Amino acid sequence: MKYIQYDRSTFLTSDDVADAVIEYAAALAGGSRADAIAIPTVAEDGTMTTTKMLIGPSSEIVVVDADDDELEVENGEFVERLRAAARTFDHPETIHADTRSDLTGDGPVT
């Protein structure tokens, strides 16, 4: 489970959903676009709910690991929809600079 922090709100959701949301936000920013999405989240009482969120080029989203994974649920359809939407942009892939071995700073990338 992960928390999505946006503005002054925090939402608990599954790992795959949180990752898809932040990657889609990056794709939207690259395309100078915005979108309103309905994210499957977990309410404070543990029930499943939906949180609507507007994301776009100026969105400041933070994803943080949650302490507990007991509520992890599959949200494959939602995740695939976001990833399919991201592929509609000229730059759908997130750079992932923190995990790419070709961005080590040891010289120019070829």
Side-chain angles (χ1 to χ4, degrees):
M1 299 296 289
K2 292 184 178 178
Y3 292 106
I4 296 175
Q5 297 173 344
Y6 181 73
D7 195 26
R8 294 183 181 148
S9 300
T10 301
F11 314 103
L12 181 64
T13 192
S14 64
D15 291 351
D16 59 343
V17 168
D19 293 341
V21 167
I22 202 163
E23 290 170 10
Y24 184 46
L28 286 168
S32 298
R33 304 283 303 269
D35 195 2
I37 57 175
I39 305 167
T41 55
V42 180
E44 288 185 21
D45 65 1
T47 59
M48 293 304 298
T49 188
T50 301
T51 302
K52 292 184 179 179
M53 188 168 136
L54 174 65
I55 57 176
S58 62
S59 296
E60 294 181 1
I61 299 171
V62 176
V63 173
V64 180
D65 289 333
D67 293 335
D68 194 15
D69 281 350
E70 291 179 19
L71 300 174
E72 188 78 28
V73 293
E74 293 293 322
N75 294 291
E77 183 180 334
F78 174 82
V79 170
E80 184 49 39
R81 258 192 335 229
L82 283 190
R83 291 190 173 143
R87 288 190 295 270
T88 66
F89 295 103
D90 291 335
H91 311 285
E93 294 84 24
T94 307
I95 294 172
H96 295 292
D98 59 338
T99 59
R100 283 183 43 186
S101 61
D102 63 329
L103 300 175
T104 61
D106 295 332
V109 177
T110 58

